Amino acid sequence: TAFAIAMAVVGVLSIGLVSLFLPRLKRLIAHEAETAHRDAEMAGAFVDVLSSSVDAAKSGEFTPIEAQDFGRDDLNAARASFNELIAAFSQAIEQTVDFLQRVAKKDLTARLDWELSGRYAELQHHSNTLAESLSEVMVQVGASSQKLSARSDALAQASDQLSKRSADQAETLRDTNASVSDFRASAGT
């Protein structure tokens, strides 16, 4: 029958096509497996480096991930983003430490001046407000100190004048007493 012959021809052709494409398919599968293995190794290396950098950041060391190629665009982009994050942390920490050192050295003109937003902007605002408040307090303390010094000087002058008057009155009293004694002595004779 023609159908049986057609089926036999299709079977032979199928076996021929499969045997023709099977080695190619095996190479493609092997290549994909090798690529998946390499990608897994690169992803593992990236996770190791990232974990190490995060641990360092937790202890206050903000070091970027070295510019190594992880063989995948997504991993290289993640490394670049992480390094930008580390740079922002570093900048905020360094400038805050510099600001606090200046304030500790009584430089109340110190201010944080950066182009960061979010919580960084809050840190900047509150730090600058702290320096401004300290400066205002110091001005008020200085003014109060000047007033106290002026009042203390006035009190010292008044005390000196009172002391001089007391000395003058004591001398007048001595003179009066001497005069009275002289008068008595001359009256009694």
Side-chain angles (χ1 to χ4, degrees), residues 13-136:
L13 286 175
S14 298
I15 293 173
L17 286 174
V18 167
S19 60
L20 178 67
F21 287 110
L22 190 58
R24 193 172 186 180
L25 185 59
K26 284 182 181 179
R27 283 192 307 269
L28 180 63
I29 291 171
H31 175 72
E32 288 299 318
E34 183 180 312
T35 300
H37 179 71
R38 188 181 69 243
D39 284 352
E41 285 180 347
M42 289 299 198
F46 176 77
V47 167
D48 289 345
V49 169
L50 181 64
S51 294
S52 175
S53 292
V54 167
D55 288 344
K58 287 179 187 177
S59 65
E61 293 298 322
F62 299 102
T63 54
I65 297 174
E66 293 180 19
Q68 70 185 69
D69 184 8
F70 288 102
R72 289 178 37 189
D73 291 342
D74 60 338
L75 295 178
N76 290 331
R79 178 197 40 147
S81 293
F82 180 79
N83 286 346
E84 289 174 9
L85 177 66
I86 289 297
F89 280 153
S90 272
Q91 176 189 6
I93 294 294
E94 286 174 21
Q95 288 186 12
T96 302
V97 166
D98 179 59
F99 165 80
L100 292 172
Q101 286 174 339
R102 288 176 60 195
V103 170
K105 292 177 182 175
K106 300 177 183 126
D107 177 3
L108 300 180
T109 64
R111 298 292 183 270
L112 289 176
D113 184 28
W114 55 39
E115 297 293 324
L116 300 173
S117 59
R119 300 293 285 180
Y120 295 116
E122 286 182 50
L123 175 64
Q124 177 184 18
H125 170 74
H126 293 300
S127 296
N128 290 342
T129 300
L130 170 69
E132 289 167 14
S133 295
L134 286 173
S135 184
E136 289 171 8

